[in-house]
Amino acid sequence: MALKSIWVYAEATNGNVTPLSLELLAKARTLGGAVEVVYAGADADSLASELGAHGAAKIHSTGDLAASLPGVPVASAIAKAVADGHGPDLIMFGTTYDGRDIAARLSVALDQPVITNNTDIELDGDVVVVTEPIFGGMKLVKTKFTAAGPHIALFRPKSFVAEEAGGAPAEVVALEVTDPGAAKVTNRHVEEATGPKLDEAAIVVSGGRGLGEKDNYELIETLAKLLKAAPGASRAIVDAGWVPYSYQVGQTGKVVKPTVYIAAGISGATQHLVGMKGAKNIIAINKDPEAPIFSVADLGIVGDVHKVLPKLIEALQAR
Amino acid sequence: MHVVVCVKQIPDPAEPGKLEGDLTLDRSGKLILDESDSYGVEMALQLVDKAGGGEVTLVSMAPNNENSGLRTALAMGAAKAILISDPALSGAGALDTAKVLAAAIKSAEPDLVLAATESSDGYTGTVPEQIAALLGLPSITFAKEVHIEGQSVNVRRQTEAGYDEVTCPLPAVVSVTAGVVEPRYPSFKGIMAAKSKPVEEQTVAGLGLDPAGVGSAGAGQEIVAVEDAPVRNAGEIIVDEGEAFTNIVSFLDGLKVI
Ligand SMILES: Cc1cc2nc3c(=O)[nH]c(=O)nc-3n(C[C@H](O)[C@H](O)[C@H](O)COP(=O)(O)OP(=O)(O)OC[C@H]3O[C@@H](n4cnc5c(N)ncnc54)[C@H](O)[C@@H]3O)c2cc1C
């Protein structure tokens, strides 16, 4: 028996559905049953054709949440739909700031477990089984839901490949918010970002503590610009305040799967590897031949970043 | 100002992790204070200081009444701790953990509850928000900065694009990211004082919860398999003699990305 109905919590930035939401829709379609979306924002109508093309038949829209953080209002709205008897069998969220808040609130409202950080989902008969990497991605744990549901699961970015299915625009239906919550946003700050986004770029150039000092991160930025790449970082230099948290690749940062990942002066701790070892090609520059990063590198350069990077930059500038 | 901080005691992350026969994480060895929680402890101590009075209470759930991690946080300056230890909690999922912590927090009646955004070993990242929901409190997650103003807490909350300024009334639950503050090192005096600070040991039943509703019995989930992740093989390694940059250029050329 397949699942009768799956809801995917979709998010959008600047009027576009996020890649992660589309990845979840692609996976949801393979599980059988109706695929529908939950959306919190004023612009559900303008997303209907894109979400429909990716397989969503309906958008359950809360409408504009104004200044409310989404956790309480969206969870209250989904819980009411479940209580009224038209909820889904499975609700899929991305591992995002808001996704985690809503899933957590919802798990309490429905008294259901929530399983986070998954990279896969499958059906064993009518039992839902999810896969989660542990120990920095060294092991994969498969967990089945044993209660009646609805099941709540969160997925890491880049776990699935987004693909259009060519459906008609999704029908927008109202999802009633019963509790707006007391936490209010008073101001939003957008950190200026130029160039491609870290989790969408075809090439990522990341630097680590081996760069020696903050000013040397410029080498990474220059190289990234030349390669039309996104600059990234290990947690060590994020914690040291050299670059913002949004640059961090790894378990507690972004998961990237670019065509090429260049790691300069990064040791390759398991928590870093879990965020980048899905790259198609990995180039590592490290002066320590024993550095763990070399165990995943397709091209490993045992050398000093202060020597290799300037020459590489010069060679690329000369082209 | 009374602040409760949720702290987790975890196996040393520097050691390779191990699983038990029932596929739960092996926590039998010595446990340490999760580094992620040291930020919440420090933040709580600073907020109490600024408020000009009050105290910090720790709440932790751990097997075998393990308290070495708690002692570290007490040595930093927390006044006391509640430790919930119960064989019924083996195999507890995030929701069960939240139920237990919430029950303990309720008895402490705090103005503010702090937690890390996620633990270093389980990193589910849902427990703080679940605690808030169970206590019927507002919550703000992923805090990069926390300020108390009158009866409100104002937070800079991490977002994909930057950060939001968010406010909510107290009492509330706030989860803090690593790096919000610089955790202090316990002083020698602090370490000595911590030895005699009160740690109240609790059980599931003692908190008024049903042991049959938590742990693997109540989890609603069951691990079916643990497999090795596919390994990625190492490729070519070149020692730089001054010209290795050309290998990178031709590698990129071969991929047609430049
Ligand atoms: C719960 C938890 C979550 C974590 N999450 C993340 C995460 O999301 N992302 C992340 O990156 N880390 C994460 N970490 C931290 C991780 O364990 C490592 O500490 C971190 O990745 C190390 O960063 P690094 O490689 O820059 O520094 P180091 O480990 O100090 O490595 C520096 C490297 O530079 C090399 N080097 C030094 N000088 C030179 C030179 N001149 N030229 C070339 N090479 C040089 C050295 O040989 C060394 O290999 C996490 C840790 C924990 C406990």
Side-chain angles (χ1 to χ4, degrees), chain B residues 185-210:
Chain B
Y185 286 103
S187 64
F188 179 71
K189 219 176 112 206
I191 294 168
M192 296 314 289
K195 291 191 201 259
S196 55
K197 286 182 175 172
V199 175
E200 176 193 337
E201 291 181 1
Q202 270 294 1
T203 59
V204 171
L207 289 171
L209 297 171
D210 178 6

Side-chain angles (χ1 to χ4, degrees), chain A residues 208-210 233-237 248-253 265-269 271-272 285-288 291 303-306, chain B residues 13 120:
Chain A
R209 188 142 48 191
S234 71
R235 172 157 149 187
I237 73 167
Q248 184 174 317
V249 173
Q251 177 180 310
T252 42
I266 292 178
S267 59
Q271 297 92 350
H272 186 79
I285 309 163
N286 195 303
K287 69 174 183 190
D288 173 10
D304 187 338
V305 288
H306 305 109
Chain B
S120 299

Side-chain angles (χ1 to χ4, degrees), chain A residues 189-197 221 231 244 246-247, chain B residues 160-163:
Chain A
H189 292 259
V190 175
E191 277 161 10
E192 161 186 11
T194 52
K197 284 177 70 180
E221 272 166 345
S246 57
Y247 284 45
Chain B
E160 291 299 333
Y163 65 90

Side-chain angles (χ1 to χ4, degrees), chain B residues 1-5 40 44 47-48 55-58 110-114:
Chain B
M1 178 92 192
H2 181 201
V3 185
V4 161
V5 186
L47 290 175
V48 165
E55 62 179 20
V56 176
T57 302
L58 309 168
D111 302 303
L112 177 69
V113 181
L114 293 179

Side-chain angles (χ1 to χ4, degrees), chain A residues 105 107 117 140 189 279 297 300, chain B residues 123 129-130 165 227 232 235 238:
Chain A
R105 287 266 172 188
S107 88
N117 278 311
L140 301 174
H189 292 259
Chain B
Y123 54 97
E129 187 80 23
Q130 287 170 317
E165 288 173 40
E227 297 165 2
R232 205 188 157 106
I238 291 161

